[in-house]
Amino acid sequence: MADASASTPQRIALLAFPGIRAFDVSVITEVWGDDRTDRGVPAFDLHRPAADPAPIALRGGLTLTPDRTLAWLARADLIVVPGLDDHLTPAPAPVLDALRRAHSRGTTIAALCGGAFTLAQAGLLDGRRAITHWNLTGLLREHHPQVTVVPDALFLHDSNIWTSAGTAAGIDLCLHLVRTTHGAETAATIARSMVTAPYRTGTQAQFIERPTPRADRDEDALASVREYALHHLDQPLTITDLAAHAGMSPRSFARHFQATTGTTPLRWLIAQRLAAAQKLLERTDLPMTEVAGRTGFGSEVTMRQHFAGHLGTSPRDYRAAFRQPTGRSPIAS
């Protein structure tokens, strides 16, 4: 986890080569390419390195103009590989070589959607866990049997390599990478400007089926429950409590909740408690015990265990890295 107070802008490389998807290029550019310093977001140094300086044709009549050579990857803190229009398109050899060198240096590399195929071509996913669009998992297994393809997740990491599922999951991964480097508040500010959800956990299902009108009614009831829970995070909420608020039995509630959200009520609740705790740690000087109490963890020990398990850090280290300047208003409990 990087120090959010570092004065040098984080250097992001959008790896450019023929065949990459325009949507993923847009996502990467939207997250790291827009100047939001007036809203407290740190400056980013985003560039488009490529093996060839010629403009790259993208689907839909668009073009992408590289602005750096592949040598710039040696300076990058993060390399993001867009997905592909044709997922079996071979990446240029210089691109694959540059990815291997970057990985050997320990540079963090992230692939959106079918970008996992590019990393697999470079041999970077051999013996690693990876995810791609749910409709491409079989293809990835077939062409790269040495990769451990995870059947259903939004994004995941193995060592310093991240992969994501398709389309919107690429947004989730990019925001998650911002969150782990610059804090939850920065990620939330970017998400608000993009009018997208600020936090979806990587373990959430890729897609959700709602085959009947009854499922839509259940979704409305569960949306009310989620709103209720977010306003009562400081309380010791249980599945029984939430089920009663939805007018369902606990078993039926748990089943419908996972069917409509792609995750379990407990995992969702822990994720929301963590997000609320991150904001309090960033925005306030509240004691750890009060942060734990306001966010429903009950004790500092429990909060510390969840921070370690989900964020790989402690609440104190998180605050030291991401504490916002004074003058910010604390969030409501």
Side-chain angles (χ1 to χ4, degrees), residues 16-23 25 50 52-66 83-86 89:
F17 56 93
I20 57 176
R21 296 177 68 225
F23 179 87
V25 169
D52 188 325
I56 297 169
L58 305 178
R59 182 173 292 179
L62 305 174
T63 59
L64 178 68
T65 303
L84 307 168
D85 287 322
D86 180 350
T89 299

Side-chain angles (χ1 to χ4, degrees), residues 95-331:
V95 168
L96 300 179
D97 289 340
L99 283 170
R100 296 184 191 105
R101 289 193 298 270
H103 178 256
S104 68
R105 290 191 298 267
T107 305
T108 299
I109 301 173
L112 309 188
C113 191
F117 286 82
T118 301
L119 299 190
Q121 289 175 35
L124 301 186
L125 298 183
D126 290 359
R128 296 180 184 274
R129 298 166 64 247
I131 187 66
T132 187
H133 190 288
W134 61 268
N135 198 37
L136 300 173
T137 54
L139 192 65
L140 186 59
R141 286 194 189 98
E142 177 186 351
H143 288 269
H144 300 282
Q146 65 276 36
V147 179
T148 302
V149 181
V150 177
D152 193 22
L154 290 181
F155 56 83
L156 57 83
H157 79 283
D158 193 325
S159 185
N160 64 331
I161 294 180
W162 292 84
T163 51
S164 82
T167 314
I171 300 175
D172 295 316
L173 175 54
C174 290
L175 290 174
H176 180 76
L177 292 170
V178 171
R179 185 180 303 108
T180 57
T181 307
H182 299 283
E185 183 62 22
T186 293
T189 300
I190 295 174
R192 283 194 296 272
S193 70
M194 295 174 63
V195 196
T196 190
Y199 188 74
R200 289 203 299 172
T201 61
T203 56
Q204 191 166 325
Q206 289 195 32
F207 65 95
I208 302 162
E209 294 187 24
R210 299 185 180 89
T212 65
R214 172 59 188 271
D216 291 335
R217 291 197 297 272
D218 291 340
E219 167 68 7
D220 291 339
L222 295 176
S224 174
V225 169
R226 293 194 296 272
E227 183 177 0
Y228 169 81
L230 289 174
H231 285 89
H232 297 83
L233 286 177
D234 59 325
Q235 299 180 14
L237 301 171
T238 67
I239 300 300
T240 300
D241 295 332
L242 298 177
H245 190 83
M248 301 179 185
S249 70
R251 179 177 295 181
S252 177
F253 171 77
R255 184 174 67 252
H256 288 298
F257 192 98
Q258 181 147 9
T260 56
T261 66
T263 190
T264 67
L266 180 59
R267 287 177 178 172
W268 179 87
L269 188 58
I270 290 173
Q272 304 313 311
R273 294 193 194 283
L274 282 169
Q278 286 174 282
K279 289 183 179 180
L280 283 175
L281 292 170
E282 292 178 22
R283 296 184 181 185
T284 76
D285 292 318
L286 291 173
M288 292 295 167
T289 53
E290 188 167 349
V291 173
R294 286 196 182 196
T295 55
F297 285 117
S299 72
E300 182 180 349
V301 172
T302 300
M303 181 172 69
R304 186 165 60 246
Q305 291 171 341
H306 284 293
F307 263 72
H310 292 82
L311 302 176
T313 188
S314 70
R316 293 183 186 278
D317 287 345
Y318 186 90
R319 170 174 274 171
F322 299 123
R323 177 72 172 92
Q324 298 285 343
T326 57
R328 299 291 299 273
S329 301
I331 64 172

